[in-house]
Amino acid sequence: VSFELMRHNLKESAELQKKYEENRKELIANISHDLKTPITSIKGYVEGIRDGVANTPEKMERYIQTIYTKTLDMDHLINELFLYSKLDLNRIPFQFEEVNIHDYLVDIIEELRFDLENTNVNISYKNDEEIQNCIVNLDREQFKRALTNIFQNSLKYMDKKEKIITIELKMTDEEVMLQFQDNGKGISKEAIPNIFERFYRADPSRNQSTGGSGLGLAIVKKIIEEHNGKIWAESELGKQTTIFLTLKRKNVIR
């Protein structure tokens, strides 16, 4: 029996090693592809400057601005990749504390509204009155990063003139549930199960114009899982996408 168990464990270990190796190869291929795009663009614009194509101050300004924007894209990609890798290897220490989820959300939403002040984005917040004293265990900084990534992902693909994001906080006996609903293009049924996977893009062609590392929602998933929470999405093409996440309740202060 012990020999059979050892053989089974070795087989599992070999399969796991194979999976890790395949993941590593896929990761390298995706990184190479995503870095090559801005590098090729930067190279083209630098050659244009060197060869005198940017022969007016306006053209030179445009070329330099484009180079700068592309380097920012690369910097963002590398930062996202570094963060995802650290989360994947459990190298980020989480500082959990008891937090009033309602008060925490009000602060974050206020900050987001301020950042989006001069845009046509409307953020609304709904909650049940009894949830206003609900306590959860969370890492303030990492959870804020997760919420910000959800917002950025929603805004990136919203195609309506008036962009609306509705945040709703609900409570059950054991959990709180956060819903983020946008009025964007929506996601196909086939794509929905994969949107939290690293480097996955529901519409690769669309991504070229909007930018993005393909890691944003994968990072969100890792952070929510570190909080022992769950995350999933539902969508209706052409109308909306809703992202749901749950966290365990600590207690309710009366």
Side-chain angles (χ1 to χ4, degrees):
V1 177
S2 59
F3 179 79
E4 185 60 29
L5 183 64
M6 186 174 72
R7 191 186 68 79
H8 175 73
N9 288 343
L10 280 170
K11 187 184 176 187
E12 272 193 352
S13 177
E15 285 172 358
L16 193 63
Q17 188 62 40
K18 187 182 175 186
K19 186 184 172 187
Y20 279 144
E21 185 62 23
E22 285 170 359
N23 283 346
R24 191 182 65 83
K25 286 177 181 175
E26 182 193 359
L27 195 65
I28 291 167
N30 279 301
I31 296 163
S32 303
H33 174 268
D34 283 5
L35 284 175
K36 190 171 177 61
T37 305
I39 287 171
T40 302
S41 181
I42 290 167
K43 186 181 171 188
Y45 280 97
V46 170
E47 284 174 352
I49 292 170
R50 192 183 63 184
D51 297 343
V53 177
N55 51 12
T56 66
E58 294 78 18
K59 218 170 185 181
M60 179 66 80
E61 174 63 27
R62 186 160 55 84
Y63 273 43
I64 289 170
Q65 185 57 46
T66 304
I67 291 167
Y68 179 67
T69 302
K70 296 296 178 186
T71 57
L72 288 181
D73 290 346
M74 288 173 64
D75 193 43
H76 178 69
L77 171 62
I78 290 163
N79 286 338
E80 292 264 270
L81 179 65
F82 187 56
L83 174 62
Y84 180 83
S85 299
K86 283 172 76 174
L87 283 166
D88 202 30
L89 294 167
N90 298 315
R91 295 274 171 85
I92 290 187
F94 278 71
Q95 308 295 327
F96 289 102
E97 56 183 296
E98 293 187 0
V99 174
N100 180 311
I101 187 66
H102 166 73
D103 292 348
Y104 177 83
L105 276 177
V106 167
D107 287 345
I108 298 253
I109 292 164
E110 194 176 314
E111 199 176 312
L112 285 163
R113 280 181 179 146
F114 180 78
D115 291 342
L116 299 168
E117 204 170 19
N118 299 317
T119 67
N120 57 338
V121 179
N122 178 34
I123 303 172
S124 67
Y125 173 52
K126 302 175 184 176
N127 67 86
D128 301 325
E129 273 194 32
E130 68 267 20
I131 211 170
Q132 293 185 7
N133 293 316
C134 188
I135 305 299
V136 296
N137 244 357
L138 58 80
D139 178 311
R140 287 175 177 271
E141 187 184 342
Q142 296 303 334
F143 198 74
K144 182 182 177 182
R145 189 190 298 275
L147 299 187
T148 303
N149 279 14
I150 291 171
F151 268 97
Q152 288 174 345
N153 196 73
S154 290
L155 291 175
K156 201 184 295 178
Y157 300 129
M158 287 169 87
D159 57 343
K160 311 294 190 299
K161 193 172 181 180
E162 187 189 3
K163 298 171 171 62
I164 301 168
I165 293 179
T166 305
I167 301 154
E168 194 165 353
L169 185 60
K170 297 179 178 180
M171 184 170 68
T172 67
D173 290 343
E174 295 181 356
E175 294 179 328
V176 291
M177 179 188 281
L178 258 173
Q179 293 178 205
F180 299 83
Q181 187 176 89
D182 65 47
N183 65 335
K185 286 187 173 183
I187 304 164
S188 69
K189 280 185 179 178
E190 296 76 28
I192 281 282
N194 303 309
I195 63 168
F196 297 103
E197 299 303 316
R198 65 187 185 191
F199 293 110
Y200 183 81
R201 283 137 184 173
D203 185 346
S205 59
R206 183 175 62 188
N207 185 73
Q208 287 174 9
S209 61
T210 55
S213 65
L215 287 168
L217 290 181
I219 287 169
V220 173
K221 186 184 178 189
K222 289 278 181 193
I223 291 171
I224 300 305
E225 285 175 348
E226 284 290 334
H227 284 76
N228 294 317
K230 294 174 186 171
I231 187 164
W232 69 96
E234 293 175 6
S235 189
E236 199 174 341
L237 270 178
K239 290 190 178 179
Q240 64 192 37
T241 297
T242 308
I243 289 181
F244 302 84
L245 64 89
T246 59
L247 295 171
K248 297 287 183 191
R249 283 177 57 196
K250 283 290 290 181
N251 64 317
V252 179
I253 302 170
R254 295 296 183 190

